Amino acid sequence: MPDDKLSHVHQMLEFNLNPPKPRPEMEHMQQRSMEYRQRVLRKFQENRKPGTLGTGGGTGFASMHEGTPFGRQGFHYWDEKALVHQSLQSFDGQEIEVMERLSFSPDRSTLICALEISSGGHTVRHEDGFPISQVKG
């Protein structure tokens, strides 16, 4: 077996035989991410409007940078004609909730992007439109 492949196998075995010790801050962040996902999905199901399609699908990750955990748990769904992506981010111990909504104007000439960011009881909202050219086929 080539040396570079052998090195990867050695690293995998070492990780499995001597896994890193659990870090309380990482476990806390992962627990908060799961709680967030469950809370938002429960709220979504309770308030679901006709024409709303929830995929429940999403992504998440958690890691460390300079000894501080960071990560994001997010998912997406359709809210009538808007594609919504919600996420809870952890950045240097601060939780930040982000909601992105993409939709078209009624005449489909403008892509509308709405962004809402909340943290520590403060919320910032911004919406903007981007003119689009119609694809002719």
Side-chain angles (χ1 to χ4, degrees):
M1 180 179 280
D3 285 345
D4 61 332
K5 300 288 184 197
L6 192 57
S7 173
H8 291 295
V9 171
H10 179 341
Q11 289 173 357
M12 288 188 321
L13 286 172
E14 184 65 35
F15 182 85
N16 286 317
L17 293 173
N18 299 305
K21 293 182 175 151
R23 298 188 68 143
E25 57 274 337
M26 287 291 289
E27 291 176 1
H28 173 74
M29 187 177 67
Q30 289 170 341
Q31 179 65 34
R32 291 287 298 138
S33 291
M34 288 188 327
E35 291 168 359
Y36 171 75
R37 179 179 169 84
Q38 291 169 350
R39 177 176 50 88
V40 173
L41 287 176
R42 186 173 45 252
K43 183 178 173 186
F44 172 77
Q45 291 169 348
E46 291 169 358
N47 300 324
R48 192 176 199 157
K49 298 179 253 178
T52 303
L53 174 66
T55 63
T59 59
F61 74 92
S63 191
M64 297 290 286
H65 176 70
E66 296 179 354
T68 303
F70 71 97
R72 175 187 283 199
Q73 171 69 44
F75 49 94
H76 56 273
Y77 55 89
W78 283 95
D79 184 4
E80 294 181 1
K81 294 187 178 192
L83 177 59
V84 180
H85 185 264
Q86 270 186 258
S87 66
L88 179 67
Q89 297 186 164
S90 178
F91 178 73
D92 200 16
Q94 183 71 32
E95 288 186 351
I96 305 159
E97 187 172 356
V98 179
M99 182 184 298
E100 305 164 13
R101 297 176 64 84
L102 296 175
S103 61
F104 287 107
S105 62
D107 66 358
R108 297 188 62 82
S109 66
T110 305
L111 173 65
I112 301 167
C113 177
L115 183 62
E116 181 176 295
I117 302 173
S118 302
S119 182
H122 180 71
T123 300
V124 175
R125 292 178 182 88
H126 180 75
E127 184 175 305
D128 209 341
F130 300 88
I132 59 171
S133 59
Q134 296 294 328
V135 177
K136 302 198 188 231

